[in-house]
Amino acid sequence: MTYWILTAKCTVIARSSVIALQDYELRDSVKVSKLQQFTDGIYERKRLSQESEEPFVSEDGKPNNIDSKEEELYTRPEMDEFTPESFDEYLSAQVILAVGEKHLQGEVIRRRRDQNGNPIGLRNANPILDTREYEVLFPDGSTQSYLANAIAESLYSQVDAEGRTYAVMQELIDHERDETAMTREQMEASGQSYTTKGWRFLVSWRDGFSSWVPLRELKDSNPVEVAEYAVANQISEEPAFCWWVPHVMRKKGRIIQKLKSKKYWHRTHKYGIELPKTVKEALEIDRRTGTTFWREAIEKEMKNVSVAFQFNDGDAIPPGYKYIDCHMVFDIKMVGLIRKCRLVAGGHMTDPPVDSVYSSVVTRESVRIMFTIAALNDLDLLGADVQNAYINAKTSERVYTTAGPEFGSNQGRPAIIVRALYGLKSSGARWRDHFSNILREVGFSGSKADPDVWMRKARKPSGFEYWEYILCYVDDILVISHYPQLIMDSISQFVTF
């Protein structure tokens, strides 16, 4: 369920969860004052008359609402308001569905429409109540229609807690190597042989599909099958195989028993949706599926992290700065199948910083004690997640990168990293230092027993004195107070929740 919230700026935002005011809060003078200030601000911004019985009458006496007859012409409660298919979360999903007596994997290609071209069914946040219909394309070229709730049920029943799907191998069909694969001459010259780089196999799965899988992944999930294939195709002496195939062939009886129930977990899809590895692949998926999900996710991430990069005139890089790579990491959230991405720095390419990189978090014991204190003192709890937390802090590392295609017109230019970008070794510590300064600014001090439990003295309206607490776990915070929202409001002046 989605709630539409009217803000103090007269803008409407969507939230999946809200907290209603309790009876005692409606009697609290501070809450009543804030409610009145909010109402007065709305009337002032929209020039509404508070004396009128009709709340949507302006000061000139003319109603602001649309005529009811005219509104009926544009409202169609029996169906969704028309939404472009590019905003439909199930499109391009790979899902296994019942077809007669078999279960086949198909791809959701489009919404089903009626004779007038309108989408069939109503969207609902609860998948069970979602009545939209979709057309699913199967490997033999046939299409069948399925309800959204059937697709959702199949998607979520075929994945683990992290959204990964698994497959059972039928046979290995083919193999190939690229220029990065080590040759026998290179192995003899360097003495290094523990590598699987540059090899991949064409695998036929029992669901009827085939795909290319890197050797490093198949070696873990199906070592015996790969070893037998390598021996049968006379490639077992290659550097990628010679260091492990003989051992597997000698011990294959034990390995088969141990891996009897082991499955290959797909890394290319999550919740049935294809996961790109690069920005180029993400944009190609959008082009192929006729959607803009990944493009919008990239644009949103770049808007958030743009402050972390500095472009100098003439593209000059100060002395002492080291080059590192940056890349996008793509993900899909379970709720709504929302596409997400994050720009991550290659911190493995930097030297260990001189400053400490340790960043502590609140302990489990402290959390339990704080819950007990809250219950004993009748205090409320309010949790929040700081958005793009690390970006709020400045970095102490002297590094730069080259802007990729996600930077738009700045692609190819050197960019100095000035904020604690995700992936840098010191980013966690710099964020903790930054947030600690914010908490000190609003009057909190760290506990001696647990430095991630912050506290300050407070007083209830009844005169009862107590301590307010803030618990920090990286970018997640928990406020314990009689008025936790007031504390959140004071912190929100420095960060975004």
Side-chain angles (χ1 to χ4, degrees):
M1 180 180 293
T2 301
Y3 297 88
W4 297 101
I5 311 297
L6 178 65
T7 68
K9 295 181 180 180
C10 290
T11 58
V12 178
I13 59 176
R15 290 292 183 269
S16 59
S17 61
V18 297
I19 301 177
L21 292 176
Q22 304 296 320
D23 291 339
Y24 73 90
E25 293 177 304
L26 294 175
R27 295 191 297 269
D28 183 84
S29 59
V30 176
K31 296 289 186 183
V32 172
S33 176
K34 292 186 69 174
L35 287 173
Q36 188 60 44
Q37 291 176 8
F38 176 85
T39 304
D40 293 342
I42 296 296
Y43 277 99
E44 182 178 352
R45 281 180 173 270
K46 290 300 182 182
R47 297 181 66 247
L48 300 177
S49 173
Q50 298 193 40
E51 289 76 23
S52 173
E53 295 181 356
E54 169 56 56
F56 297 102
V57 174
S58 61
E59 291 182 349
D60 58 8
K62 296 181 180 180
N64 281 337
N65 62 319
I66 303 174
D67 182 77
S68 59
K69 293 184 178 179
E70 181 180 357
E71 185 179 11
E72 291 177 359
L73 296 176
Y74 296 96
T75 303
R76 305 187 66 173
E78 73 277 5
M79 57 171 287
D80 269 347
E81 293 182 3
F82 178 75
T83 302
E85 288 190 341
S86 59
F87 298 99
D88 198 303
E89 66 273 16
Y90 289 123
L91 287 182
S92 77
Q94 303 283 337
V95 58
I96 298 177
L97 295 166
V99 181
E101 298 180 355
K102 299 180 180 180
H103 284 77
L104 301 177
Q105 183 171 353
E107 179 180 357
V108 182
I109 55 175
R110 67 176 72 90
R111 281 282 297 275
R112 192 170 176 222
R113 298 177 179 274
D114 59 20
Q115 58 185 0
N116 296 322
N118 298 316
I120 298 176
L122 294 170
R123 178 192 297 268
N124 194 294
N126 184 344
I128 298 177
L129 304 178
D130 196 328
T131 59
R132 290 175 294 173
E133 292 189 33
Y134 293 86
E135 292 185 14
V136 179
L137 176 65
F138 293 98
D140 60 0
S142 64
T143 59
Q144 292 195 30
S145 62
Y146 292 86
L147 290 174
N149 56 2
I151 295 175
E153 182 180 0
S154 297
L155 279 176
Y156 295 132
S157 64
Q158 296 159 16
V159 299
D160 65 355
E162 297 181 359
R164 300 178 303 171
T165 57
Y166 65 85
V168 179
M169 177 191 294
Q170 182 170 343
E171 64 175 330
L172 293 172
I173 302 175
D174 197 1
H175 67 275
E176 66 178 16
R177 56 181 295 175
D178 58 28
E179 65 278 0
T180 64
M182 179 179 288
T183 63
R184 298 182 183 181
E185 292 75 13
Q186 291 174 334
M187 181 184 68
E188 294 173 357
S190 63
Q192 178 185 358
S193 62
Y194 297 99
T195 179
T196 58
K197 189 175 182 181
W199 288 82
R200 65 175 187 166
F201 288 81
L202 180 59
V203 183
S204 173
W205 308 103
R206 290 189 181 178
D207 59 12
F209 279 76
S210 300
S211 62
W212 287 94
V213 181
L215 172 59
R216 66 177 181 275
E217 297 178 6
L218 280 181
K219 176 183 172 295
D220 293 334
S221 62
N222 301 86
V224 175
E225 291 87 341
V226 177
E228 291 177 341
Y229 178 93
V231 172
N233 288 269
Q234 301 179 358
I235 57 175
S236 60
E237 298 301 321
E238 293 290 338
F241 302 90
C242 64
W243 58 277
W244 64 273
V245 166
H247 170 75
V248 170
M249 294 302 292
R250 288 195 303 269
K251 305 291 185 180
K252 68 177 182 179
R254 296 182 183 178
I255 295 175
I256 290 174
Q257 186 65 27
K258 186 176 181 181
L259 300 179
K260 197 170 183 179
S261 60
K262 190 167 183 179
K263 309 177 182 70
Y264 172 76
W265 292 94
H266 280 302
R267 294 170 173 83
T268 58
H269 289 70
K270 190 172 182 179
Y271 300 113
I273 306 296
E274 185 176 359
L275 275 176
K277 295 183 178 63
T278 64
V279 173
K280 183 178 179 181
E281 286 185 20
L283 299 179
E284 173 60 23
I285 292 174
D286 278 352
R287 185 199 64 77
R288 190 173 68 247
T289 59
T291 62
T292 59
F293 289 130
W294 290 118
R295 177 179 293 277
E296 291 172 358
I298 293 171
E299 291 175 351
K300 180 180 178 181
E301 173 65 8
M302 294 309 299
K303 181 180 178 181
N304 292 332
V305 304
S306 59
V307 295
F309 298 93
Q310 174 183 311
F311 294 92
N312 292 338
D313 295 335
D315 294 340
I317 299 297
Y321 278 74
K322 183 175 183 178
Y323 174 82
I324 63 171
D325 291 327
C326 289
H327 63 280
M328 282 284 186
V329 176
F330 298 90
D331 194 14
I332 297 174
K333 299 298 183 182
M334 181 180 72
V335 179
L337 300 180
I338 299 174
R339 277 64 161 180
K340 302 279 288 185
C341 64
R342 187 176 295 283
L343 188 64
V344 179
H348 63 286
M349 302 176 66
T350 63
D351 299 325
V354 178
D355 300 333
S356 173
V357 297
Y358 175 71
S359 177
S360 60
V361 295
V362 66
T363 64
R364 184 181 304 175
E365 291 75 14
S366 295
V367 174
R368 291 174 175 173
I369 293 172
M370 290 301 107
F371 281 175
T372 303
I373 292 176
L376 292 175
N377 293 276
D378 192 23
L379 302 179
D380 292 333
L381 291 81
L382 184 59
D385 180 5
V386 181
Q387 295 184 12
N388 294 282
Y390 285 9
I391 304 300
N392 290 278
K394 294 183 178 180
T395 184
S396 59
E397 301 186 46
R398 299 164 66 87
V399 291
Y400 76 97
T401 188
T402 300
E406 62 273 13
F407 284 84
S409 59
N410 287 320
Q411 180 178 359
R413 296 183 60 189
I416 298 175
I417 301 176
V418 297
R419 296 291 183 95
L421 199 64
Y422 286 90
L424 294 178
K425 290 185 174 72
S426 63
S427 291
R430 299 293 78 80
W431 156 247
R432 188 187 182 282
D433 294 342
H434 177 76
F435 194 61
S436 297
N437 292 332
I438 293 175
L439 295 181
R440 294 188 187 97
E441 183 75 18
V442 296
F444 282 83
S445 59
S447 167
K448 293 182 179 180
D450 189 335
D452 291 286
V453 175
W454 296 79
M455 49 199 292
R456 74 178 182 186
K457 287 185 178 181
R459 185 192 303 269
K460 290 186 178 182
S462 62
F464 175 75
E465 293 186 352
Y466 69 102
W467 288 88
E468 297 174 316
Y469 298 96
I470 297 180
L471 281 58
C472 301
Y473 195 101
V474 192
D475 57 353
D476 294 312
I477 66 173
L478 180 67
V479 178
I480 301 175
S481 171
H482 186 64
Y483 296 120
Q485 186 60 54
L486 295 180
I487 298 177
M488 285 293 188
D489 292 342
S490 63
I491 299 176
S492 64
Q493 301 175 27
F494 305 95
V495 296
T496 302
F497 294 116

